[in-house]
Amino acid sequence: DQQVKQNSPSLSVQEGRISILNCDYTNSMFDYFLWYKKYPAEGPTFLISISSIKDKNEDGRFTVFLNKSAKHLSLHIVPSQPGDSAVYFCAASSYGGSQGNLIFGKGTKLSVKP
Amino acid sequence: GAVVSQHPSRVICKSGTSVKIECRSLDFQATTMFWYRQFPKQSLMLMATSNEGSKATYEQGVEKDKFLINHASLTLSTLTVTSAHPEDSSFYICSGVGPQWTQYFGPGTRLLVL
């Protein structure tokens, strides 16, 4: 049973527009959420995180929103750029992200078209 | 950001042989390192948690005698796949807990067992 779900395997967006990547989770014990970006044959690169005590965290073009009641988080990229094309993984932790499992979703492949 | 390296990046071996993968934190000390495995179109799955100076903790379903982990220093952890078989072919990724209690991932090692 998947505890972290990314229901869209792929997303295509025009350059300059907003990209919205969604993630749902089932475990109410998760208290820390992270987004990673991954290129083929490379390890994931940390993008942005959010603690369960917040509902929004922003870093440049990247914003993560957390809706605890819906057990849903999303990553917004504005404006989208061709270099953002990659697979994006949502991950969750019940240890503040520093120790223990990071439970990953299956990823969403984002394609940003020029 | 914190940098984690892995060596080798790609390895092909014959069935029955052993393969060692090194994971190094280059600019930070990692008391804890994690080893993940990713099969095609699947999530990254945690295999084991490696703590410097002590025995690794393995996730359910991961054979500790097959996947030997050694974390001899604060910057180096090794994963040895013993008597590798074709079903062990996968993408192996390590991570270290770095600044701001975030996991930083290595670039991964692609293992192909013939």
Side-chain angles (χ1 to χ4, degrees), chain B residues 62-75:
Chain B
V62 179
E63 300 174 55
K64 62 179 181 181
D65 294 329
K66 181 172 182 63
F67 298 98
L68 302 179
I69 291 173
N70 185 288
H71 194 158
S73 77
L74 288 171
T75 59

PDB file of all heavy atoms in Angstrom, chain B residues 62-75:
ATOM      1  N   VAL B  62      14.906  -6.995   3.023  1.00  0.00           N
ATOM      2  CA  VAL B  62      16.263  -6.808   2.502  1.00  0.00           C
ATOM      3  C   VAL B  62      17.207  -7.735   3.254  1.00  0.00           C
ATOM      4  O   VAL B  62      17.303  -7.677   4.483  1.00  0.00           O
ATOM      5  CB  VAL B  62      16.725  -5.342   2.654  1.00  0.00           C
ATOM      6  CG1 VAL B  62      18.145  -5.175   2.133  1.00  0.00           C
ATOM      7  CG2 VAL B  62      15.768  -4.409   1.928  1.00  0.00           C
ATOM      8  N   GLU B  63      17.900  -8.604   2.505  1.00  0.00           N
ATOM      9  CA  GLU B  63      18.765  -9.596   3.144  1.00  0.00           C
ATOM     10  C   GLU B  63      20.089  -8.961   3.578  1.00  0.00           C
ATOM     11  O   GLU B  63      20.883  -8.524   2.739  1.00  0.00           O
ATOM     12  CB  GLU B  63      19.057 -10.727   2.163  1.00  0.00           C
ATOM     13  CG  GLU B  63      17.821 -11.467   1.668  1.00  0.00           C
ATOM     14  CD  GLU B  63      18.196 -12.467   0.585  1.00  0.00           C
ATOM     15  OE1 GLU B  63      19.070 -13.309   0.859  1.00  0.00           O
ATOM     16  OE2 GLU B  63      17.634 -12.385  -0.524  1.00  0.00           O
ATOM     17  N   LYS B  64      20.339  -8.959   4.860  1.00  0.00           N
ATOM     18  CA  LYS B  64      21.553  -8.313   5.368  1.00  0.00           C
ATOM     19  C   LYS B  64      22.808  -9.077   4.978  1.00  0.00           C
ATOM     20  O   LYS B  64      23.893  -8.495   4.884  1.00  0.00           O
ATOM     21  CB  LYS B  64      21.484  -8.148   6.883  1.00  0.00           C
ATOM     22  CG  LYS B  64      21.388  -9.454   7.649  1.00  0.00           C
ATOM     23  CD  LYS B  64      21.358  -9.179   9.150  1.00  0.00           C
ATOM     24  CE  LYS B  64      21.297 -10.475   9.950  1.00  0.00           C
ATOM     25  NZ  LYS B  64      21.253 -10.222  11.414  1.00  0.00           N
ATOM     26  N   ASP B  65      22.682 -10.382   4.749  1.00  0.00           N
ATOM     27  CA  ASP B  65      23.861 -11.167   4.369  1.00  0.00           C
ATOM     28  C   ASP B  65      24.181 -11.012   2.891  1.00  0.00           C
ATOM     29  O   ASP B  65      25.287 -11.337   2.458  1.00  0.00           O
ATOM     30  CB  ASP B  65      23.648 -12.647   4.683  1.00  0.00           C
ATOM     31  CG  ASP B  65      23.546 -12.889   6.176  1.00  0.00           C
ATOM     32  OD1 ASP B  65      24.184 -12.122   6.940  1.00  0.00           O
ATOM     33  OD2 ASP B  65      22.822 -13.809   6.589  1.00  0.00           O
ATOM     34  N   LYS B  66      23.204 -10.522   2.152  1.00  0.00           N
ATOM     35  CA  LYS B  66      23.435 -10.320   0.722  1.00  0.00           C
ATOM     36  C   LYS B  66      23.917  -8.897   0.441  1.00  0.00           C
ATOM     37  O   LYS B  66      24.752  -8.674  -0.424  1.00  0.00           O
ATOM     38  CB  LYS B  66      22.144 -10.576  -0.048  1.00  0.00           C
ATOM     39  CG  LYS B  66      22.301 -10.418  -1.548  1.00  0.00           C
ATOM     40  CD  LYS B  66      21.063 -10.866  -2.268  1.00  0.00           C
ATOM     41  CE  LYS B  66      21.278 -10.752  -3.763  1.00  0.00           C
ATOM     42  NZ  LYS B  66      22.355 -11.632  -4.242  1.00  0.00           N
ATOM     43  N   PHE B  67      23.380  -7.965   1.179  1.00  0.00           N
ATOM     44  CA  PHE B  67      23.740  -6.561   0.993  1.00  0.00           C
ATOM     45  C   PHE B  67      24.522  -6.097   2.229  1.00  0.00           C
ATOM     46  O   PHE B  67      23.940  -5.665   3.219  1.00  0.00           O
ATOM     47  CB  PHE B  67      22.496  -5.706   0.790  1.00  0.00           C
ATOM     48  CG  PHE B  67      21.702  -6.075  -0.432  1.00  0.00           C
ATOM     49  CD1 PHE B  67      20.585  -6.892  -0.338  1.00  0.00           C
ATOM     50  CD2 PHE B  67      22.091  -5.622  -1.693  1.00  0.00           C
ATOM     51  CE1 PHE B  67      19.855  -7.237  -1.477  1.00  0.00           C
ATOM     52  CE2 PHE B  67      21.369  -5.965  -2.825  1.00  0.00           C
ATOM     53  CZ  PHE B  67      20.252  -6.770  -2.719  1.00  0.00           C
ATOM     54  N   LEU B  68      25.845  -6.219   2.124  1.00  0.00           N
ATOM     55  CA  LEU B  68      26.702  -5.890   3.255  1.00  0.00           C
ATOM     56  C   LEU B  68      27.012  -4.397   3.264  1.00  0.00           C
ATOM     57  O   LEU B  68      27.447  -3.846   2.261  1.00  0.00           O
ATOM     58  CB  LEU B  68      28.006  -6.692   3.171  1.00  0.00           C
ATOM     59  CG  LEU B  68      27.850  -8.216   3.145  1.00  0.00           C
ATOM     60  CD1 LEU B  68      29.213  -8.871   3.029  1.00  0.00           C
ATOM     61  CD2 LEU B  68      27.122  -8.716   4.369  1.00  0.00           C
ATOM     62  N   ILE B  69      26.785  -3.783   4.395  1.00  0.00           N
ATOM     63  CA  ILE B  69      27.018  -2.354   4.518  1.00  0.00           C
ATOM     64  C   ILE B  69      28.067  -2.101   5.581  1.00  0.00           C
ATOM     65  O   ILE B  69      28.006  -2.653   6.681  1.00  0.00           O
ATOM     66  CB  ILE B  69      25.715  -1.613   4.864  1.00  0.00           C
ATOM     67  CG1 ILE B  69      24.766  -1.667   3.665  1.00  0.00           C
ATOM     68  CG2 ILE B  69      25.994  -0.172   5.271  1.00  0.00           C
ATOM     69  CD1 ILE B  69      23.395  -1.120   3.934  1.00  0.00           C
ATOM     70  N   ASN B  70      29.016  -1.244   5.215  1.00  0.00           N
ATOM     71  CA  ASN B  70      30.061  -0.852   6.149  1.00  0.00           C
ATOM     72  C   ASN B  70      30.164   0.663   6.163  1.00  0.00           C
ATOM     73  O   ASN B  70      30.276   1.300   5.125  1.00  0.00           O
ATOM     74  CB  ASN B  70      31.404  -1.459   5.716  1.00  0.00           C
ATOM     75  CG  ASN B  70      32.507  -1.170   6.720  1.00  0.00           C
ATOM     76  OD1 ASN B  70      32.984  -0.048   6.830  1.00  0.00           O
ATOM     77  ND2 ASN B  70      32.902  -2.170   7.465  1.00  0.00           N
ATOM     78  N   HIS B  71      30.104   1.244   7.346  1.00  0.00           N
ATOM     79  CA  HIS B  71      30.182   2.708   7.487  1.00  0.00           C
ATOM     80  C   HIS B  71      31.349   2.999   8.418  1.00  0.00           C
ATOM     81  O   HIS B  71      31.171   3.310   9.595  1.00  0.00           O
ATOM     82  CB  HIS B  71      28.857   3.212   8.071  1.00  0.00           C
ATOM     83  CG  HIS B  71      28.674   4.689   7.962  1.00  0.00           C
ATOM     84  ND1 HIS B  71      27.419   5.270   8.001  1.00  0.00           N
ATOM     85  CD2 HIS B  71      29.539   5.703   7.814  1.00  0.00           C
ATOM     86  CE1 HIS B  71      27.548   6.581   7.894  1.00  0.00           C
ATOM     87  NE2 HIS B  71      28.815   6.860   7.779  1.00  0.00           N
ATOM     88  N   ALA B  72      32.550   2.889   7.833  1.00  0.00           N
ATOM     89  CA  ALA B  72      33.759   2.915   8.653  1.00  0.00           C
ATOM     90  C   ALA B  72      34.184   4.308   9.091  1.00  0.00           C
ATOM     91  O   ALA B  72      34.923   4.459  10.058  1.00  0.00           O
ATOM     92  CB  ALA B  72      34.899   2.252   7.881  1.00  0.00           C
ATOM     93  N   SER B  73      33.713   5.328   8.379  1.00  0.00           N
ATOM     94  CA  SER B  73      34.099   6.685   8.762  1.00  0.00           C
ATOM     95  C   SER B  73      32.918   7.614   8.569  1.00  0.00           C
ATOM     96  O   SER B  73      31.885   7.211   8.031  1.00  0.00           O
ATOM     97  CB  SER B  73      35.285   7.165   7.929  1.00  0.00           C
ATOM     98  OG  SER B  73      34.870   7.536   6.623  1.00  0.00           O
ATOM     99  N   LEU B  74      33.087   8.858   8.981  1.00  0.00           N
ATOM    100  CA  LEU B  74      31.989   9.822   8.886  1.00  0.00           C
ATOM    101  C   LEU B  74      31.750  10.314   7.459  1.00  0.00           C
ATOM    102  O   LEU B  74      30.832  11.081   7.221  1.00  0.00           O
ATOM    103  CB  LEU B  74      32.260  11.025   9.801  1.00  0.00           C
ATOM    104  CG  LEU B  74      32.123  10.731  11.289  1.00  0.00           C
ATOM    105  CD1 LEU B  74      32.627  11.920  12.101  1.00  0.00           C
ATOM    106  CD2 LEU B  74      30.679  10.436  11.669  1.00  0.00           C
ATOM    107  N   THR B  75      32.600   9.879   6.532  1.00  0.00           N
ATOM    108  CA  THR B  75      32.435  10.325   5.150  1.00  0.00           C
ATOM    109  C   THR B  75      32.328   9.175   4.157  1.00  0.00           C
ATOM    110  O   THR B  75      32.218   9.413   2.951  1.00  0.00           O
ATOM    111  CB  THR B  75      33.608  11.230   4.726  1.00  0.00           C
ATOM    112  OG1 THR B  75      34.825  10.492   4.861  1.00  0.00           O
ATOM    113  CG2 THR B  75      33.677  12.494   5.570  1.00  0.00           C
TER     114      THR B  75
END
